[in-house]
């Protein structure tokens, strides 16, 4: 199976231009391709997995990735998939986020001379003269065509700022710049980026001639991938300080039955032959597939040791062992009042609730247990000695932590 055939078999490819030429270049390791990452936060999320693993797969096949950090485009904000305008970040915030992205990407992609390259579009976009840009690039874009683009259509009813309207031009200019300066002949992105990406391909051809070999590929499930990276309204971060390896593992362990094989196919590096066999699994074997998914992705992001700990901790929690590690919170003397602590305060300190009112509500709804016993009284109080041996505090089915004394 060629690398391009594998991308198709894994369900990654949505739309392409010049498919035969793309196949040849990718299969022969002659593609220099880029994927852009706007730095809207100080960590990548699980939603970026598809792009990161794609870059790794293609690099392993001899192709050269260009990781484009969107220090410039983040100043504008991509309207795709948004019902409102993104929060405006300062340049300092964006630069900090870009540095965080770089450190995380290095776990997936091999950078260096003759290998992958990392660039920041702030280096060229922020130095552009607006009038010169309009004269050089603006004439290549039809406003009528831009307004028909899906990324803009969904915003027209609620309002699309002129700032965001420029995003397509900026993204297109990125491809044009990378093509000229780095020999980048291919771009990958989410299916929701198709219009923006075609703008870049067309700009290259209009400026450099129809024979310019600029190609575009979109990933079939990138929009789903972005949803993958969120749960209960919160992002699932790759930074262990924002999402612990255990919580990261548990997120993937709890994907829906209908999604587990799709995730394994798209995101892991397990051989397709093994995946095809797993796709026949039914009943309790589905849970085994979820464990494999969670372990493989946690190992990829946090290393084998943390993946082993997370898996052992999950099994311990659900009755598969007593000695495995689980997330732990240590209460200090200052956390107690007169040697006791109430359940709402305990939940807030342990990170299972953002406020005492949220904690009370969880108790009242019957979703809180301590060492397997349901807590129904919001005034329930526990003495320090109760936690000497450690007690498991749990909220709902997926949130839990072991409480011990410091």
């Amino acid at each position: 199976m060629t690398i391009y055939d594998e991308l198709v078999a894994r369900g990654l490819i949505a739309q392409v231009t010049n498919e035969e030429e793309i196949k040849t270049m990718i299969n022969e390791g002659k593609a220099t391709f880029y994927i852009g990452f706007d730095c809207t936060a100080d960590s990548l999320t699980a939603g970026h997995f598809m792009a990161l693993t794609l870059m790794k797969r293609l690099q392993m096949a001899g192709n050269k990735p260009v990781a484009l950090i969107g220090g410039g485009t983040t100043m504008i904000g991509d309207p795709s998939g948004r019902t409102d305008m993104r929060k405006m970040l300062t340049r300092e915030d964006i630069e900090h986020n870009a540095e965080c992205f770089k450190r995380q990407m290095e776990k997936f992609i091999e950078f260096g001379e003759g290998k992958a390259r990392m660039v920041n579009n702030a280096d060229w976009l922020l130095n552009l003269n607006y009038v010169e840009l309009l004269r050089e690039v603006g004439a290549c874009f039809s406003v009528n065509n831009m307004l028909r683009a899906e990324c803009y259509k969904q915003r027209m009813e609620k309002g699309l700022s002129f700032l965001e309207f420029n995003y397509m031009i900026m993204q297109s200019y990125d491809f044009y710049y990378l093509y000229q300066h780095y020999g980048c002949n291919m771009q990958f992105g989410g299916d929701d980026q198709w219009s923006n990406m075609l703008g870049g391909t067309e700009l290259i051809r209009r400026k450099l001639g129809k024979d310019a070999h600029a190609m575009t590929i979109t990933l079939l499930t990138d929009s789903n991938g972005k949803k993958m990276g969120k749960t209960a309204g919160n992002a699932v971060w790759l930074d262990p300080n924002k999402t612990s390896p255990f919580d990261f593992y548990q997120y993937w362990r709890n994907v829906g039955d209908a999604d587990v094989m799709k995730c394994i196919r798209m995101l892991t590096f397990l051989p397709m032959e093994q995946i095809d066999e797993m796709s026949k699994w039914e009943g309790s074997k589905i849970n085994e597939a979820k464990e494999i998914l969670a372990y493989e992705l946690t190992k990829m992001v946090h290393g084998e040791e943390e993946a082993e700990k997370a898996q052992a901790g999950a099994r311990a929690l659900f009755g598969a062992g007593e000695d495995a590690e689980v997330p732990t919170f240590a209460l200090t003397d200052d956390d107690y009042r007169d040697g006791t602590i109430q359940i709402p305060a305990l939940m807030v300190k342990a990170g299972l609730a953002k406020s005492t009112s949220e904690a009370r509500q969880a108790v009242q709804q019957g979703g809180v247990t301590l060492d397997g016993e349901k807590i129904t009284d919001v005034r329930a109080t526990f003495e320090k000695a109760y936690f000497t041996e450690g007690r498991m505090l749990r909220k709902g089915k997926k949130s839990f932590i072991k409480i011990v004394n410091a």
Side-chain angles (χ1 to χ4, degrees):
M1 182 183 292
T2 67
I3 181 61
Y4 186 84
D5 289 339
E6 182 179 345
L7 296 182
V8 173
R10 289 183 178 273
L12 291 169
I13 304 300
Q15 303 179 78
V16 302
T17 61
N18 316 71
E19 184 173 34
E20 290 306 315
E21 191 171 5
I22 285 173
K23 282 183 181 180
T24 300
M25 294 187 72
I26 287 178
N27 291 337
E28 295 180 359
K30 295 180 179 178
T32 298
F33 67 97
Y34 94 90
I35 299 180
F37 300 83
D38 276 356
C39 2
T40 54
D42 59 0
S43 172
L44 296 166
T45 73
H48 292 106
F49 249 129
M50 221 169 299
L52 294 170
T53 55
L54 174 77
M55 296 175 87
K56 184 172 182 176
R57 289 185 213 281
L58 291 175
Q59 185 175 45
M60 291 168 64
N63 299 284
K64 293 183 180 179
V66 177
L68 176 62
I69 300 295
T73 41
T74 307
M75 299 285 285
I76 295 175
D78 183 5
S80 301
R82 301 282 298 187
T83 57
D84 56 2
M85 186 171 164
R86 294 180 185 273
K87 177 185 175 182
M88 297 283 283
L89 300 176
T90 67
R91 186 163 181 176
E92 291 74 20
D93 287 339
I94 292 171
E95 289 173 354
H96 169 73
N97 294 347
E99 287 301 315
C100 295
F101 277 24
K102 288 179 183 179
R103 290 193 295 271
Q104 293 174 350
M105 285 182 184
E106 287 170 350
K107 294 182 179 180
F108 293 83
I109 306 159
E110 190 174 359
F111 293 95
E113 188 68 29
K115 299 175 183 176
R117 181 190 299 271
M118 186 175 291
V119 296
N120 190 326
N121 63 17
D123 294 340
W124 57 86
L125 291 181
L126 299 187
N127 294 323
L128 289 172
N129 178 285
Y130 187 60
V131 174
E132 290 179 3
L133 177 68
L134 289 179
R135 288 177 61 85
E136 181 182 10
V137 177
C140 298
F141 287 83
S142 162
V143 171
N144 289 351
N145 288 340
M146 292 174 72
L147 291 176
R148 283 194 288 269
E150 197 62 37
C151 60
Y152 290 146
K153 282 169 59 178
Q154 61 189 6
R155 288 291 305 280
M156 293 302 290
E157 291 185 9
K158 292 194 174 183
L160 175 71
S161 71
F162 184 70
L163 176 72
E164 297 168 290
F165 187 65
N166 281 270
Y167 192 90
M168 181 186 291
I169 296 175
M170 297 294 97
Q171 183 172 339
S172 299
Y173 189 88
D174 281 343
F175 194 16
Y176 175 55
Y177 184 94
L178 293 172
Y179 184 93
Q180 290 182 293
H181 291 82
Y182 299 107
C184 184
N185 50 32
M186 200 174 295
Q187 59 177 334
F188 282 81
D191 200 23
D192 57 351
Q193 294 286 311
W194 180 247
S195 299
N196 287 351
M197 295 168 69
L198 284 182
T201 304
E202 182 62 23
L203 176 60
I204 290 171
R205 290 175 178 165
R206 292 192 63 172
K207 297 296 294 183
L208 304 178
K210 293 184 179 180
D211 293 332
H213 296 280
M215 288 150 280
T216 297
I217 303 179
T218 61
L219 305 181
L220 181 63
T221 44
D222 183 75
S223 57
N224 290 333
K226 291 173 182 175
K227 293 174 185 176
M228 282 180 195
K230 295 186 177 181
T231 179
N234 298 313
V236 179
W237 306 99
L238 304 194
D239 183 342
N241 295 316
K242 297 170 76 72
T243 298
S244 71
F246 182 84
D247 289 335
F248 187 84
Y249 176 96
Q250 277 300 106
Y251 173 74
W252 295 107
R253 173 62 180 79
N254 288 310
V255 298
D257 290 359
D259 293 328
V260 60
M261 291 312 305
K262 179 171 67 175
C263 291
I264 287 175
R265 190 172 287 111
M266 293 188 303
L267 305 178
T268 76
F269 285 81
L270 296 176
M272 286 301 300
E273 295 81 2
Q274 180 181 349
I275 295 174
D276 290 340
E277 281 299 312
M278 292 172 64
S279 65
K280 302 173 185 176
W281 290 1
E282 297 178 348
S284 61
K285 294 285 283 184
I286 297 297
N287 286 328
E288 184 179 339
K290 292 180 182 182
E291 281 196 341
I292 291 172
L293 170 68
Y295 179 84
E296 290 294 323
L297 298 189
T298 305
K299 180 174 70 172
M300 199 184 306
V301 175
H302 299 296
E304 187 170 4
E305 182 179 352
E306 290 297 337
E308 293 283 354
K309 288 181 182 178
Q311 186 170 72
R315 288 175 174 174
L317 182 74
F318 294 105
E322 295 293 329
D323 299 323
E325 293 189 36
V326 296
T328 301
F329 177 78
L331 290 166
T332 67
D333 289 341
D334 292 338
D335 292 324
Y336 292 97
R337 297 185 62 179
D338 298 326
T340 64
I341 187 169
Q342 280 196 340
I343 188 65
L346 178 62
M347 293 177 63
V348 172
K349 290 181 183 295
L352 294 190
K354 295 179 180 178
S355 64
T356 54
S357 60
E358 180 183 312
R360 291 191 190 100
Q361 184 178 21
V363 171
Q364 291 168 344
Q365 292 175 344
V368 178
T369 62
L370 188 56
D371 235 31
E373 295 292 327
K374 182 176 289 188
I375 307 298
T376 58
D377 185 358
V378 296
R379 295 170 297 179
T381 303
F382 304 91
E383 296 182 351
K384 180 179 178 180
Y386 181 75
F387 299 104
T388 300
E389 300 298 325
R391 304 282 182 170
M392 189 68 71
L393 177 64
R394 185 169 177 173
K395 184 183 78 169
K397 295 182 178 179
K398 300 179 182 180
S399 300
F400 43 82
I401 194 165
K402 187 176 183 180
I403 307 297
V404 299
N405 285 322

